[in-house]
Amino acid sequence: MIKDAFSQKKNVETKASFSDLVTETDKRVEDSLFSTIRQTFPSHCFIGEESTSAGAQCELTDRPTWIIDPIDGTTNFVHTFPFTCISIGFLVNKKAMIGIIYNPVLDDMYTARAGHGAFCNDKKIHVSGCNDYSQALLIIDTGACAKNEDIDCHYENMRRHKKHSRGIRAIGSAALSMCLVACGAADAYYEFGIHCWDMAAGVIIVEEAGGTLCGPDGSTLNILERSCLVTSSKKLAQDMVKDITIVHFPSD
Ligand code: LIP
């Protein structure tokens, strides 16, 4: 569905702000995934970006739960910027067990299962292991920062990172940013304002690829808390945290 619609003109609607987009394809992909998985696992719980936007409760319990973003990087999808993906995470007892992130445009399929490693197109992947901030390539996105003081805070953080790292990139998809760290193409990623459906699959892919995950203040990661810091080593996370002032968002 995403491939078919990718180069077509899309009917774009806005959600929380003029830059928070949704298309017919986001909704169709989510409906299709929910109904297909539900047929096999009728007792499981589901959290999805579009159902939550439509009013469904975003409640994560210990029960087996599928957390799905039908199109992560919707703005990229709308603009045909080829970093867009489906993100499917499966959690039990709030712990990520399976992660699948598929970029249908570049045909990259990232997968991980707890205790079984992480893969891209069936090849095992691993983080770079970089622990030297001055040699690190970072991915940092403005994400949902919209208020002036939040944007200022973001750019102040960027100014500090620019002075201490090798470079900064922005991808426009949290899930794919996490995959880029998992496969060693980047050394760290963080963003404020993302949601549990942006992170759920990426968490297990990064974990299984040997990466470090925490909150951007170094705290234990809680995927409902709207941000995460993903790094190729604990040392890099500890150094980066010193340069990060937190932008707060209400929890999922
Ligand atoms: C997107 C995130 C991205 C962020 C965007 C948006 P969506 O998710 O993955 O990292 O910068 O603001 O939240 O809305 O395309 O699923």
Side-chain angles (χ1 to χ4, degrees):
M1 285 182 224
I2 295 173
K3 249 183 181 162
D4 286 350
F6 188 67
S7 46
Q8 308 290 319
K9 192 168 166 19
K10 289 110 182 162
N11 205 351
V12 182
E13 290 166 41
T14 55
K15 298 190 286 186
S17 73
F18 76 94
S19 58
D20 184 11
L21 310 182
V22 62
T23 69
E24 194 48 43
T25 311
D26 296 66
K27 296 176 197 166
R28 283 179 53 216
V29 172
E30 181 160 319
D31 287 349
S32 162
L33 286 167
F34 272 31
S35 59
T36 308
I37 299 171
R38 246 189 205 122
Q39 276 168 22
T40 311
F41 304 108
S43 64
H44 288 185
C45 302
F46 289 79
I47 295 173
E49 174 169 19
E50 303 319 328
S51 335
T52 306
S53 296
Q57 239 199 331
C58 176
E59 197 194 354
L60 180 60
T61 65
D62 284 344
R63 293 174 56 198
T65 303
W66 298 85
I67 304 187
I68 295 178
D69 190 343
I71 302 186
D72 184 51
T74 301
T75 305
N76 290 349
F77 170 69
V78 167
H79 288 262
T80 69
F81 188 76
F83 287 87
T84 190
C85 64
I86 297 172
S87 173
I88 303 175
F90 178 64
L91 287 75
V92 181
N93 294 324
K94 301 192 182 76
K95 170 113 190 61
M97 303 304 287
I98 291 174
I100 303 166
I101 293 175
Y102 180 51
N103 177 340
V105 183
L106 303 180
D107 201 18
D108 282 334
M109 174 79 84
Y110 296 88
T111 58
R113 191 151 64 98
H116 292 264
F119 299 83
C120 177
N121 295 338
D122 295 331
K123 279 203 195 115
K124 202 155 191 193
I125 54 171
H126 208 274
V127 294
S128 68
C130 170
N131 59 18
D132 184 341
Y133 194 2
S134 70
Q135 292 183 11
L137 183 64
L138 318 178
I139 300 176
I140 307 169
D141 229 302
T142 39
C145 292
K147 290 191 250 162
N148 281 342
E149 63 262 37
D150 293 349
I151 296 170
D152 290 348
C153 183
H154 167 78
Y155 282 105
E156 270 305 303
N157 288 340
M158 296 279 275
R159 195 178 57 78
R160 288 189 287 268
H161 295 308
K162 174 68 188 158
K163 282 169 78 177
H164 293 141
S165 69
R166 232 179 220 172
I168 305 173
R169 306 286 183 264
I171 303 299
S173 158
L176 288 173
S177 299
M178 292 171 90
C179 290
L180 288 169
V181 176
C183 69
D187 304 302
Y189 156 72
Y190 81 89
E191 184 168 350
F192 298 113
I194 50 175
H195 292 272
C196 60
W197 45 82
D198 298 316
M199 296 178 250
V203 165
I204 181 81
I205 292 173
V206 170
E207 261 174 19
E208 288 295 320
T212 299
L213 293 127
C214 57
D217 57 357
S219 59
T220 304
L221 178 67
N222 176 346
I223 61 165
L224 300 174
E225 291 297 333
R226 306 286 307 275
S227 60
C228 70
L229 170 62
V230 172
T231 58
S232 53
S233 69
K234 198 171 171 194
K235 167 83 170 50
L236 184 56
Q238 285 164 342
D239 288 344
M240 283 183 68
V241 158
K242 295 179 197 148
D243 281 346
I244 302 174
T245 303
I246 304 289
V247 177
H248 292 281
F249 283 88
S251 311
D252 276 331

